[in-house]
């Protein structure tokens, strides 16, 4: 039973999903619907009050008229019956019948179905005399008879089928004082006219209320449309502007607030267009300058490199000071050449000329090769590189040159900042993604620095000399390489706890990543650490435990 209920609930949610989606997305629909609901409640309440009050007024007027007529009928009956002073006069039955007929004939309501009835309870042989030969038992109830017998003037509204027609009657009953005994006079007036009038009032109020509600809905729809339409136009124009169509503008009509909004929006769009064009021009000039300078410096650098190599090869024949200068010249030329190479690579990314030469490659040999090439640097600074690699090949469709460059930057930085402690390199894969983490136990990163390490020429310690470390472009290039693969390059760190970088790429080129097979936060810091990541591409919330990744095509 519970399962069927859940299935029914899910089915109902699926059926109602389009309506919920339309309700959330359409301001026009919400305003019109709320206006209709509120106006329906208000008009319904007023309509019920007016109809109820009108019916009550009609009923009160009918009661007053019938009560006045009743008093006259009681007085006439008293005058007719006072002549009978004996216990029983043989002419009494005829007198009662004549009195009833006179009361009925003198009543203008008789043509509408009014009924007059006299009862003499002291004379059982006299049956109740009724002006119209109908059964009034359902109209004159025992409770009313009892109240009239006690000397009270009673009234009630009863509905009964008289003459084959179901009719509502206003019934009045009053005792008639006589010298020979207790006589009761009942006057029954149909409320057909009042019912018809009340029904007409209700119908009029209902039709008027419905028309008013519909009119309010139409007015609300038109007014809301007047306001929502410019907002929708502004939203569509803003979407086109965000898509790069900077010449899009809103149409300005009139001089009202909406026209002021459109004019202000157009002014803002024009200012943004000018700023964006100016920034794009500056960026283009900067990229061109970087590319031109890098290329132009290649020729003199080659000449200086040849001279420096010659001096470096002959340094043994020089004085110690000159030999040291030759070594420094060689080292700085290496740095300068590396900087030019990085600048050229950055200029390719900025210009959009970088291309991915993807092929199915085993990543295990790439990681081993990077560790082997940086082993000498690790020995000089007292850092060992620990590899945690799977025993089986890890095949992915990647550009091996770019992946090796990313890993070389990550491992090289970890070795330089390792503070003499081991650097751990871990490789893992699943059906959809491959991840490599590089963990060091050095000074780590302060809060917020994990969002800055990928900026160009950024250093965690600005006071450090430029002679130490790389060019400052390695991680920026690594981010671009990861993004080119459709992957992520993320960073985590804490002061004194070291840092960890994670590279994640899809197994098949072009797939979209949704998770990584390795956690970003190290397991030894997962309990009290706060996750922080810089993504080379939009990534979902990271899982500390490192659940298997999934990829959507």
């Amino acid at each position: 039973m519970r399962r069927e209920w859940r299935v029914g609930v899910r089915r109902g949610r699926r059926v109602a999903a389009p309506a919920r989606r339309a309700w959330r997305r359409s301001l026009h629909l919400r305003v019109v619907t709320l206006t209709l609901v509120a106006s329906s409640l208000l008009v319904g309440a007023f309509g019920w009050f007016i109809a109820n009050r009108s019916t009550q007024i009609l009923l009160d007027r009918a009661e007053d008229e019938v009560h006045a007529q009743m008093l006259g009928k009681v007085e006439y009956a008293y005058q007719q019956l006072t002549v009978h002073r004996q216990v029983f006069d043989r002419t009494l039955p005829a007198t009662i019948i004549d009195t009833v007929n006179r009361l009925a004939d003198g009543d203008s309501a008789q043509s509408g179905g009014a009924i007059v009835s006299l009862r003499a309870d002291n004379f059982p042989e006299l049956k109740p005399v009724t002006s119209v030969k109908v059964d009034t038992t359902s109209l004159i109830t025992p409770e009313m008879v009892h109240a009239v017998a006690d000397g009270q003037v009673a009234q009630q509204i009863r509905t009964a089928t008289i003459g084959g027609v179901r009719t509502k009657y206003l019934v009045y009953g009053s005792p008639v004082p006589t010298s020979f005994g207790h006589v009761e006079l009942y006057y029954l007036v149909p409320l057909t006219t009042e019912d018809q009038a009340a029904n007409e009032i209700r119908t009029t109020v209902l039709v008027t209320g419905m028309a008013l509600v519909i009119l309010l809905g139409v007015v609300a729809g038109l007014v809301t449309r007047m306001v929502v339409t410019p907002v929708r136009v502004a939203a569509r124009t803003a979407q086109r502007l965000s898509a790069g169509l900077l010449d899009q503008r809103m149409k300005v009509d009139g001089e009202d607030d909406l026209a002021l909004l459109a004019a202000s929006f157009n002014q803002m769009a024009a200012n943004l267009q000018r700023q964006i064009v100016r920034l794009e021009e500056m960026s283009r000039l900067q990229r061109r300058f970087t590319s031109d300078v890098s290329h132009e410096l290649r020729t003199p650098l080659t000449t200086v490199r040849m001279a420096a190599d010659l001096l470096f090869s002959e340094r043994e024949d020089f004085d110690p000071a000159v030999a040291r200068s030759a070594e420094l010249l060689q080292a700085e030329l290496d740095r300068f050449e590396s900087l030019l190479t990085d600048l050229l690579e950055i200029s390719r990314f900025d210009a959009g000329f970088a291309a991915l030469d993807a092929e199915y490659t085993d990543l295990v040999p790439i990681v081993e090769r990077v560790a082997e090439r940086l082993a000498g640097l690790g020995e000089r600074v007292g850092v060992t590189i620990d590899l945690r690699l799977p025993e089986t090949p890890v095949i992915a469709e990647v550009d091996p040159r770019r992946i090796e460059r990313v890993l070389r930057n990550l491992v090289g930085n970890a070795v330089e900042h390792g503070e003499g402690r081991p650097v751990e390199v871990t490789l893992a894969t699943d059906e959809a993604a491959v991840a490599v983490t590089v963990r060091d136990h050095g000074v780590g990163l302060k809060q917020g620095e994990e969002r800055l390490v990928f900026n160009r020429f950024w250093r965690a310690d600005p006071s450090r000399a430029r002679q130490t470390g790389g060019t400052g472009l390695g991680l920026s290039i690594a981010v671009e390489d990861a993004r080119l693969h459709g992957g992520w390059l993320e960073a985590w760190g804490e002061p004194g706890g070291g840092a960890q970088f994670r590279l994640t790429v899809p197994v098949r080129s072009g797939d979209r990543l949704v998770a990584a097979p390795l956690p970003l936060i190290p397991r030894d810091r997962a309990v009290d650490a706060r996750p922080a990541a810089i993504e080379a591409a939009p990534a979902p919330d990271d899982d500390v435990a490192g659940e298997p990744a999934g990829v959507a095509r």
Side-chain angles (χ1 to χ4, degrees):
M1 183 66 181
R2 182 177 298 178
R3 181 179 179 182
E4 295 177 354
W5 180 79
R6 291 178 178 176
V7 171
V9 170
R10 287 196 295 269
R11 188 173 300 169
R13 288 179 177 176
R14 286 196 299 269
V15 172
R20 292 200 306 268
R21 188 161 48 251
W23 176 263
R24 290 194 305 267
R25 295 181 177 180
S26 177
L27 177 63
H28 193 187
L29 176 62
R30 291 200 299 271
V31 172
V32 173
T33 302
L34 293 177
T35 302
L36 287 176
V37 172
S39 60
S40 298
L41 294 177
L42 186 62
V43 172
F46 274 105
W48 176 85
F49 174 77
I50 292 173
N52 187 64
R53 185 60 183 165
S54 300
T55 303
Q56 189 63 39
I57 291 173
L58 292 174
L59 182 60
D60 292 342
R61 187 177 64 180
E63 289 178 352
D64 293 340
E65 292 178 355
V66 174
H67 182 70
Q69 294 175 7
M70 183 69 181
L71 294 178
K73 294 181 185 297
V74 170
E75 180 67 21
Y76 180 80
Y78 170 73
Q79 294 175 0
Q80 291 294 319
L81 297 178
T82 50
V83 297
H84 301 277
R85 301 180 179 275
Q86 299 178 0
V87 176
F88 182 75
D89 190 345
R90 294 186 180 276
T91 62
L92 180 60
T95 303
I96 292 177
I97 294 174
D98 181 67
T99 301
V100 170
N101 291 331
R102 289 177 179 275
L103 289 174
D105 292 338
D107 181 22
S108 58
Q110 172 64 25
S111 59
I115 302 173
V116 179
S117 177
L118 272 177
R119 298 186 180 192
D121 291 344
N122 292 342
F123 303 97
E125 62 275 11
L126 291 178
K127 297 182 179 180
V129 179
T130 305
S131 61
V132 180
K133 304 302 180 181
V134 295
D135 184 11
T136 60
T137 304
S138 59
L139 295 176
I140 304 175
T141 61
E143 292 80 6
M144 189 174 189
V145 173
H146 180 73
V148 174
D150 291 340
Q152 302 176 8
V153 177
Q155 72 174 54
Q156 64 181 6
I157 296 177
R158 299 286 295 177
T159 302
T161 303
I162 303 298
V165 180
R166 191 167 182 81
T167 309
K168 182 184 296 185
Y169 280 86
L170 174 61
V171 182
Y172 263 89
S174 174
V176 179
T178 61
S179 59
F180 58 85
H182 181 73
V183 177
E184 301 169 1
L185 174 64
Y186 295 94
Y187 187 37
L188 299 86
V189 179
L191 297 177
T192 305
T193 303
E194 287 76 8
D195 273 351
Q196 291 177 352
N199 290 333
E200 291 178 359
I201 291 174
R202 294 191 189 97
T203 303
T204 303
V205 169
L206 178 62
V207 173
T208 305
M210 292 178 62
L212 182 59
V213 169
I214 294 174
L215 180 61
L216 288 175
V218 172
V219 172
L222 294 176
V223 173
T224 308
R225 183 182 180 86
M226 292 175 59
V227 178
V228 171
T229 299
V231 175
R232 290 177 177 172
V233 172
R236 288 194 295 266
T237 306
Q239 290 175 352
R240 295 190 186 102
L241 288 173
S242 64
L245 303 176
L246 302 180
D247 59 341
Q248 296 294 310
R249 298 293 184 270
M250 292 181 61
K251 183 179 180 181
V252 180
D253 292 328
E255 299 178 356
D256 55 6
D257 295 335
L258 295 177
L260 179 61
L261 171 63
S264 301
F265 184 91
N266 292 340
Q267 183 65 32
M268 178 190 67
N271 293 335
L272 287 176
Q273 183 179 14
R274 285 195 296 268
Q275 292 293 332
I276 291 174
V277 170
R278 187 173 65 87
L279 291 175
E280 287 180 347
E281 181 65 20
M282 291 177 60
S283 178
R284 185 184 64 82
L285 292 175
Q286 182 181 9
R287 291 195 300 268
R288 182 176 178 181
F289 174 78
T290 302
S291 178
D292 292 346
V293 168
S294 301
H295 282 91
E296 291 298 328
L297 288 177
R298 280 292 181 181
T299 301
L301 178 62
T302 303
T303 304
V304 174
R305 165 65 72 181
M306 292 173 60
D309 289 343
L310 180 59
L311 292 175
F312 186 76
S313 63
E314 299 294 337
R315 70 184 183 280
E316 299 295 338
D317 299 333
F318 300 153
D319 293 338
V322 179
R324 177 58 180 163
S325 298
E327 293 174 357
L328 292 176
L329 178 61
Q330 185 75 9
E332 290 304 317
L333 283 174
D334 291 339
R335 280 175 45 80
F336 190 45
E337 188 173 11
S338 177
L339 176 60
L340 285 179
T341 302
D342 289 345
L343 286 175
L344 286 173
E345 189 67 22
I346 284 291
S347 66
R348 293 191 188 96
F349 282 116
D350 290 340
F353 294 150
L356 188 68
D357 188 11
E359 59 184 33
Y360 283 99
T361 307
D362 185 3
L363 271 66
V364 173
I366 295 179
V367 176
E368 293 176 343
R369 186 163 57 250
V370 169
E372 181 181 355
R373 291 181 179 178
L374 294 173
L377 175 62
E379 291 178 0
R380 289 196 299 270
V381 297
V383 174
T384 60
I385 302 176
D386 296 336
L387 300 181
R388 302 177 179 179
L389 307 177
E391 297 179 356
T392 58
V394 177
I395 307 298
E397 190 177 3
V398 297
D399 187 336
R401 180 181 65 86
R402 296 184 183 276
I403 294 297
E404 183 173 350
R405 181 167 61 189
V406 173
L407 296 179
R408 188 168 60 248
N409 275 292
L410 297 181
V411 178
N413 287 339
V415 170
E416 289 184 359
H417 299 86
E419 300 292 328
R421 301 188 182 113
V423 171
E424 302 166 0
V425 181
T426 306
L427 173 65
T429 185
D430 57 22
E431 296 180 355
V434 177
V436 181
T437 59
V438 179
R439 171 81 159 102
D440 68 73
H441 299 82
V443 295
L445 298 173
K446 298 178 182 178
Q447 182 177 358
E449 290 184 347
E450 69 279 350
R451 301 183 178 275
L452 302 175
V453 293
F454 299 103
N455 292 345
R456 299 175 184 182
F457 300 111
W458 183 86
R459 284 178 178 267
D461 185 3
S463 64
R464 292 181 59 191
R466 272 295 174 194
Q467 285 76 14
T468 60
T471 63
L473 296 173
L475 290 179
S476 300
I477 296 175
V479 166
E480 298 294 342
D481 284 332
R483 184 179 290 114
L484 200 60
H485 282 83
W488 313 325
L489 182 57
E490 303 158 282
W492 168 90
E494 64 179 14
Q500 177 162 292
F501 289 77
R502 182 179 68 179
L503 171 66
T504 310
V505 294
V507 171
R508 292 170 294 275
S509 179
D511 288 355
R512 183 174 63 87
L513 291 176
V514 295
L518 287 174
L520 174 61
I521 302 176
R523 299 184 186 277
D524 59 337
R525 298 288 180 177
V527 177
D528 55 354
R530 178 176 59 256
I534 293 294
E535 302 170 0
D541 294 338
D542 198 6
D543 187 357
V544 172
E547 294 295 332
V551 174
R553 287 198 175 268

